[in-house]
Amino acid sequence: MDWNALLVPVLRYTLLAAVATVGVAYLVFSTGLTLLLLAGAGVLFVVLGAGEAGAAPAAGVGGAESADSGNMVEGMELLPGSSSNYSVRAKLLFYGLGLVVWNLVGLAVLLP
């Protein structure tokens, strides 16, 4: 896996998009409840991004190991194709991680 290819979506979605979302939501609503709701949405996005379901063979796990699953593996990659075309799975995963992290930072600042 090319870790450098993951740098762009991490910067774009985890830092920029998530900070903008959390900042705007806090400025508009000015409450910690909004941060908690956004953190919950972030966890949901992480689950959706990390747990993308693929086709499973009827034979179960044993059949999956011996089956030709070339198409299934390609569809489950974080960065299919070129580095400029990020999958929805990668976008959800990194945006959700950003929402969770930045909401925790916001709540930590508000609590003391």
Side-chain angles (χ1 to χ4, degrees):
M1 173 177 267
D2 184 12
W3 295 103
N4 291 329
L6 292 176
L7 187 61
V8 172
V10 167
L11 292 175
R12 184 178 295 159
Y13 298 107
T14 303
L15 295 179
L16 296 177
V19 168
T21 303
V22 171
V24 168
Y26 182 72
L27 289 176
V28 170
F29 297 106
S30 298
T31 179
L33 179 62
T34 305
L35 295 181
L36 287 174
L37 292 174
L38 278 175
V43 170
L44 180 66
F45 288 157
V46 168
V47 169
L48 289 174
E52 182 181 82
V61 176
E65 292 174 355
S66 63
D68 178 25
S69 59
N71 292 337
M72 183 171 61
V73 172
E74 182 179 334
M76 295 178 69
E77 292 176 356
L78 275 178
L79 300 170
S82 68
S83 62
S84 64
N85 183 20
Y86 302 110
S87 68
V88 173
R89 179 181 177 198
K91 292 175 185 177
L92 284 175
L93 180 64
F94 293 127
Y95 183 63
L97 285 173
L99 284 180
V100 171
V101 169
W102 290 111
N103 281 308
L104 291 177
V105 168
L107 290 172
V109 168
L110 288 176
L111 289 179

